[in-house]
Amino acid sequence: MIWGLFHDPRGILMRTMPITVTAVTALLLLTACGGEGGGDGAKDDAKQESGACSSATVDMEAGPASEAPAAGDTGEVPVNLVNQGAACVLDGFPEASLAAGDELVALAPVEGATAQKLTLAEGESVSFTITYVRGPESAGESLDVKTLRVGLPGGSATQDFPWSYGPVAVKEGTEDAADASVGAFQRTGD
């Protein structure tokens, strides 16, 4: 690097850096700070470029549940997700079904719930809850559920979890609709 020499008004010999080095340094500082927007450029870019979350990079775990103890009681089964890959987006409700024998019953969202679009950074977690009404042990009034099947919005892959929380009541006025619903994604952790 070439340094210039000059005398200040008091006659002291001073060194100067070339103007190009100063300009490059200023440019690097602006870039590191996120530029004009004042935001975090790296995070903003990750949010804009993130694709839909995939079961290949999101770990899922069901339970422990708040089990409904008797017929007519309500129980809840939380499902926790942790993103193990690059930032991704959850847009909509989780897909959830209950399997009773050969029958697969899709669960509707909780009445009044609103789906939200969440960007999940690597290591971030979210959860949702399956709410159900326990049914009587008698056939016809309940579904003998053996499996909870969960999928991510927009994805085709699913993951199965054993259902050990007893039979699920059938909604009044229907023949096979489970008295159960799925909640919206909620952020968890810090």
Side-chain angles (χ1 to χ4, degrees):
M1 181 180 307
I2 300 174
W3 293 85
L5 298 175
F6 78 96
H7 290 278
D8 78 352
R10 295 172 289 173
I12 300 173
L13 186 61
M14 307 269 313
R15 289 186 191 180
T16 62
M17 292 190 321
I19 190 79
T20 55
V21 172
T22 305
V24 169
T25 303
L27 179 62
L28 289 173
L29 285 173
L30 280 174
T31 303
C33 292
E36 293 178 15
D40 184 345
K43 286 184 181 175
D44 293 343
D45 290 345
K47 287 181 183 176
Q48 292 174 356
E49 295 175 12
S50 298
C53 291
S54 151
S55 60
T57 58
V58 174
D59 290 340
M60 289 188 233
E61 182 180 302
S66 173
E67 191 174 335
D73 291 340
T74 300
E76 294 182 335
V77 181
V79 179
N80 301 299
L81 293 81
V82 178
N83 182 20
Q84 300 298 335
C88 63
V89 175
L90 293 168
D91 190 6
F93 281 96
E95 296 184 16
S97 303
L98 298 176
D102 292 337
E103 187 176 7
L104 190 62
V105 180
L107 302 183
V110 170
E111 189 174 325
T114 304
Q116 51 185 327
K117 185 175 182 177
L118 297 175
T119 299
L120 226 59
E122 183 177 358
E124 276 193 304
S125 59
V126 294
S127 68
F128 64 91
T129 303
I130 304 295
T131 304
Y132 71 99
V133 175
R134 186 169 183 145
E137 299 292 332
S138 60
E141 296 179 54
S142 300
L143 297 172
D144 187 21
V145 175
K146 300 295 182 195
T147 306
L148 167 62
R149 179 166 291 166
V150 176
L152 300 176
S156 59
T158 58
Q159 186 168 346
D160 289 353
F161 299 97
W163 184 270
S164 59
Y165 315 113
V168 176
V170 173
K171 280 186 184 177
E172 289 185 32
T174 66
E175 290 184 27
D176 63 353
D179 196 350
S181 57
V182 59
F185 290 109
Q186 301 292 321
R187 292 202 182 272
T188 58
D190 297 346

